[in-house]
Amino acid sequence: MSLLTVGSVAFDAIETPFGKTDKIIGGAGTYISISSSFFTKPVNVVAVVGDDFPEEYIKTLESQGINTDGLQVKEGEKTFFWAGKYHNDMNSRDTLVTELNVLEHFDPIVPANYQDAQYVMLGNLSPQVQSTVIERLENRPKLVVMDTMNFWMDIAWDDLMKTISMVDVLSINDEEARQLSKEYSLRKAAKKIMEMGPKYLIIKKGEHGALLFHEDKVFSAPALPLEEVFDPTGAGDTFAGGFIGYLAKTDDISFDNMKKAVIYGSAMASFCVEKFGTDRLLEITEADLEARVKEFEELTVF
Amino acid sequence: MSLLTVGSVAFDAIETPFGKTDKIIGGAGTYISISSSFFTKPVNVVAVVGDDFPEEYIKTLESQGINTDGLQVKEGEKTFFWAGKYHNDMNSRDTLVTELNVLEHFDPIVPANYQDAQYVMLGNLSPQVQSTVIERLENRPKLVVMDTMNFWMDIAWDDLMKTISMVDVLSINDEEARQLSKEYSLRKAAKKIMEMGPKYLIIKKGEHGALLFHEDKVFSAPALPLEEVFDPTGAGDTFAGGFIGYLAKTDDISFDNMKKAVIYGSAMASFCVEKFGTDRLLEITEADLEARVKEFEELTVF
């Protein structure tokens, strides 16, 4: 089923205890689109870059089956840039640079050939941009999934509440779930957040896996205990991309299938962290993915 | 199969955001014994208390099928006492009082009728006391499980290394696994720790569940997402008691059965935190436990 993704397509400069990169391709929209394109094609991306964004990077996206008709290239402007440095434990990082550039006045365009979107993944962006995309779709998609972060809770609460009320699935991390609900217990937090609109809630817990909530049901997905996390950048977005990609491919939004989608998303994220940036995502095969999903099964079956 | 447990039988005074207790029965040996007695009887306990320890508390233990022949009562001495206060998030606490009392010179006695022990659970205690118990058993038990904590890593490293080298299963939390191995990745930490002696390692992650390692295999058990944690005291020991109790009952130490034992331990721990101290453990039924284990299944099956 046709999939639309929205999110930043950007430059990242990453430093981890294992090394550092120059400006490489990054951004939530990039990770989501590459990850979901593993399951379904085309992935119709809505995003914006500056004229400094290399043609080669756009070709990389297109070679994955990503349709860039909705990728605006702004002449005379610069691409969003983020630089960060991870601490030794890889669980925390310092942001060194954030240059909004083209994202500051991002007015998303939804091309006519994207209008049949049945599955929509709103990657982390200003909630106002996220809701604009929904409003610019003529028909309500079958499933709208939204990712966001604490930053928008701090500076754009009302916009955030509006967008959250419009989506089916919200994906945030445990700290953010606590901030959003003002509840420490994740079970209580989930109840409160689902009263804000979304019928489903995913709480991402990094190395501790993820929880999927719906009505009074819960599913707990483990994370694969890895020997080495090389670069965690994009893991959450890769998870989201795998989640929506699997749902779009199978076109089944039952709770049972969403559980599987969470596992496929987790498997994709477990690859993402094995190399810098999107490198590992661009080389895995279907056999790699199925073997990884099997590892998740072995990890949890008792 | 016959089970021997060692650990503190003590007084606890607990304060949580929900209320506070006077001195109530507590201690690792108490939680382990009550939890394991749910699976197999008798539980042969090795411990020490002072003459201030109420006869009524000993009767409570005995009514659960706990054999107190190895519980020394020291005339003129006082029982170990711990007082603590939990913070609002229930994940951290301040120790207000620690009075070692009878534990300071604890010389464990293993009565003759305990000598057939096939399963041994060494609750958190000085590693020197733990190894003494193993040495005082005429025959090597089928399975020795050891719990310990960071405190002993700080002050009794050599004794700890000796005891760890003597056991089959080590049970510690994630922070402690990192401290013990000097590795941040839990997978790497597990490898290093299993080189110290234990063939199996359990890493407890509190609200994030537990990991069981053996050779190159891993099992990830979730924690039940609870609406309310009323009092976390003793949850780790209750887990350990359920783990060894299930193994002693089924007398099967295969990796597959250990996975089940981890789930039964987790289920027992999820009850423990629902009321103060041992209150909830003393009222649950077999049907309660089976229903809870079923919840764990539903939580993880995909």
Side-chain angles (χ1 to χ4, degrees):
Chain A
M1 299 294 285
S2 60
L3 172 60
L4 187 157
T5 64
V6 194
S8 54
V9 171
F11 289 128
D12 283 348
I14 303 160
E15 192 173 338
T16 80
F18 301 105
K20 59 189 290 185
T21 70
D22 292 326
K23 279 187 176 182
I24 58 172
I25 187 171
T30 300
Y31 284 100
I32 289 169
S33 299
I34 292 177
S35 180
S36 58
S37 72
F38 209 81
F39 299 89
T40 188
K41 293 177 202 302
V43 172
N44 295 317
V45 66
V46 172
V48 63
V49 293
D51 62 8
D52 56 347
F53 197 73
E55 187 57 32
E56 167 208 344
Y57 283 174
I58 296 179
K59 288 230 161 64
T60 298
L61 296 176
E62 287 171 346
S63 72
Q64 301 297 309
I66 296 165
N67 182 353
T68 57
D69 290 352
L71 178 68
Q72 303 171 55
V73 181
K74 291 277 185 191
E75 292 303 319
E77 293 191 45
K78 288 172 74 184
T79 300
F80 175 63
F81 173 50
W82 175 84
K85 181 179 172 170
Y86 289 87
H87 301 161
N88 279 335
D89 67 8
M90 291 297 224
N91 259 346
S92 51
R93 66 186 186 189
D94 293 326
T95 290
L96 305 176
V97 181
T98 309
E99 292 174 8
L100 274 184
N101 300 328
V102 286
L103 277 191
E104 201 165 356
H105 303 288
F106 179 27
D107 185 27
I109 292 173
V110 179
N113 58 347
Y114 285 20
Q115 283 292 348
D116 64 341
Q118 289 298 299
Y119 290 84
V120 172
M121 178 70 229
L122 305 170
N124 174 48
L125 270 181
S126 127
Q128 189 268 325
V129 170
Q130 292 176 316
S131 61
T132 300
V133 171
I134 304 177
E135 285 158 359
R136 290 184 179 169
L137 287 168
E138 285 153 23
N139 304 303
R140 176 59 161 84
K142 192 163 171 180
L143 194 79
V144 179
V145 182
M146 171 190 184
D147 192 73
T148 188
M149 63 183 292
N150 50 359
F151 178 72
W152 308 110
M153 299 176 197
D154 295 335
I155 70 152
W157 183 264
D158 292 344
D159 283 346
L160 183 65
M161 284 299 116
K162 176 190 161 190
T163 310
I164 285 180
S165 76
M166 297 166 77
V167 305
D168 303 299
V169 185
L170 179 66
S171 164
I172 46 179
N173 74 27
D174 42 358
E175 249 179 81
E176 290 158 354
R178 287 176 170 135
Q179 180 174 350
L180 187 59
S181 64
K182 301 176 185 72
E183 289 286 351
Y184 186 82
S185 150
L186 295 180
R187 190 123 194 184
K188 281 192 184 172
K191 248 189 202 169
K192 275 206 181 171
I193 292 168
M194 287 190 289
E195 283 166 10
M196 298 173 186
K199 293 183 290 293
Y200 301 85
L201 173 68
I202 295 169
I203 299 183
K204 298 173 286 184
K205 303 193 298 174
E207 63 157 335
H208 302 299
L211 297 170
L212 170 69
F213 292 90
H214 174 56
E215 294 168 353
D216 57 354
K217 296 196 278 281
V218 201
F219 172 61
S220 171
L224 208 63
L226 297 167
E227 289 238 354
E228 206 91 270
V229 170
F230 192 83
D231 171 18
T233 310
D237 301 312
T238 301
F239 167 87
F243 175 77
I244 193 105
Y246 183 82
L247 291 177
K249 177 189 180 180
T250 54
D251 193 25
D252 170 358
I253 59 170
S254 66
F255 186 69
D256 276 348
N257 202 51
M258 280 205 193
K259 291 178 178 184
K260 289 202 175 78
V262 167
I263 295 293
Y264 274 87
S266 304
M268 291 302 289
S270 76
F271 285 119
C272 176
V273 303
E274 291 180 342
K275 290 195 174 179
F276 269 127
T278 56
D279 286 359
R280 186 75 177 111
L281 293 181
L282 293 172
E283 62 185 25
I284 53 169
T285 65
E286 211 153 307
D288 292 334
L289 178 62
E290 290 308 322
R292 189 57 61 94
V293 167
K294 206 155 168 45
E295 281 188 67
F296 275 84
E297 265 176 52
E298 281 160 11
L299 195 58
T300 53
V301 169
F302 62 87
Chain B
M1 299 295 285
S2 58
L3 172 60
L4 187 157
T5 65
V6 193
S8 54
V9 171
F11 289 128
D12 282 349
I14 303 160
E15 193 172 339
T16 82
F18 301 103
K20 57 188 288 184
T21 69
D22 292 326
K23 280 186 176 182
I24 59 173
I25 187 172
T30 299
Y31 284 100
I32 289 169
S33 300
I34 292 176
S35 180
S36 58
S37 72
F38 209 82
F39 298 89
T40 187
K41 292 175 202 302
V43 172
N44 294 317
V45 66
V46 171
V48 62
V49 293
D51 62 7
D52 57 345
F53 198 71
E55 187 58 30
E56 168 209 343
Y57 282 175
I58 296 178
K59 289 228 160 64
T60 298
L61 296 176
E62 287 170 347
S63 72
Q64 300 299 308
I66 296 165
N67 182 353
T68 58
D69 290 352
L71 178 68
Q72 304 171 53
V73 181
K74 291 276 185 190
E75 291 303 319
E77 293 190 46
K78 288 173 75 184
T79 300
F80 174 64
F81 173 51
W82 175 83
K85 182 178 172 171
Y86 288 88
H87 301 160
N88 279 334
D89 66 9
M90 290 301 224
N91 258 346
S92 51
R93 67 185 186 190
D94 293 326
T95 290
L96 305 176
V97 182
T98 309
E99 293 173 7
L100 274 184
N101 298 329
V102 287
L103 277 191
E104 200 165 356
H105 304 289
F106 178 28
D107 185 28
I109 293 172
V110 179
N113 59 345
Y114 283 22
Q115 284 292 346
D116 66 340
Q118 289 297 299
Y119 289 84
V120 172
M121 178 70 227
L122 305 171
N124 173 46
L125 268 181
S126 127
Q128 188 268 323
V129 170
Q130 292 176 315
S131 62
T132 300
V133 172
I134 304 178
E135 285 158 358
R136 288 182 180 168
L137 288 167
E138 286 152 22
N139 303 303
R140 186 27 165 105
K142 192 162 169 179
L143 194 79
V144 179
V145 182
M146 171 189 185
D147 192 73
T148 190
M149 63 184 291
N150 50 358
F151 179 72
W152 308 110
M153 298 173 198
D154 295 334
I155 71 154
W157 182 265
D158 292 344
D159 283 346
L160 183 65
M161 284 299 117
K162 177 190 161 190
T163 309
I164 285 180
S165 76
M166 297 165 78
V167 306
D168 303 299
V169 185
L170 179 66
S171 164
I172 47 180
N173 72 28
D174 43 359
E175 250 180 82
E176 290 157 355
R178 287 173 171 137
Q179 181 173 349
L180 187 59
S181 64
K182 300 176 185 72
E183 289 285 352
Y184 187 83
S185 150
L186 294 181
R187 191 122 193 186
K188 280 192 185 173
K191 247 188 202 172
K192 274 205 180 170
I193 292 168
M194 289 191 286
E195 282 166 8
M196 297 173 186
K199 291 184 291 292
Y200 301 86
L201 173 67
I202 296 169
I203 299 183
K204 299 174 287 185
K205 303 194 296 172
E207 64 158 333
H208 302 300
L211 297 170
L212 170 68
F213 293 90
H214 174 55
E215 294 167 352
D216 57 354
K217 295 195 280 281
V218 201
F219 172 61
S220 171
L224 208 63
L226 297 167
E227 288 238 354
E228 205 92 270
V229 169
F230 192 83
D231 170 19
T233 311
D237 301 314
T238 301
F239 168 86
F243 175 77
I244 193 107
Y246 183 83
L247 290 178
K249 178 190 181 181
T250 52
D251 193 25
D252 170 358
I253 57 170
S254 66
F255 186 68
D256 276 347
N257 201 51
M258 279 205 194
K259 291 178 177 182
K260 290 203 173 79
V262 167
I263 295 292
Y264 274 86
S266 303
M268 291 301 290
S270 76
F271 285 120
C272 176
V273 303
E274 291 180 343
K275 291 195 173 179
F276 270 128
T278 57
D279 286 0
R280 186 73 178 114
L281 293 182
L282 294 172
E283 63 186 24
I284 55 168
T285 65
E286 210 152 309
D288 293 332
L289 178 61
E290 290 308 322
R292 188 57 62 95
V293 167
K294 206 155 169 44
E295 282 189 66
F296 275 83
E297 265 174 53
E298 281 160 10
L299 194 58
T300 53
V301 169
F302 61 88

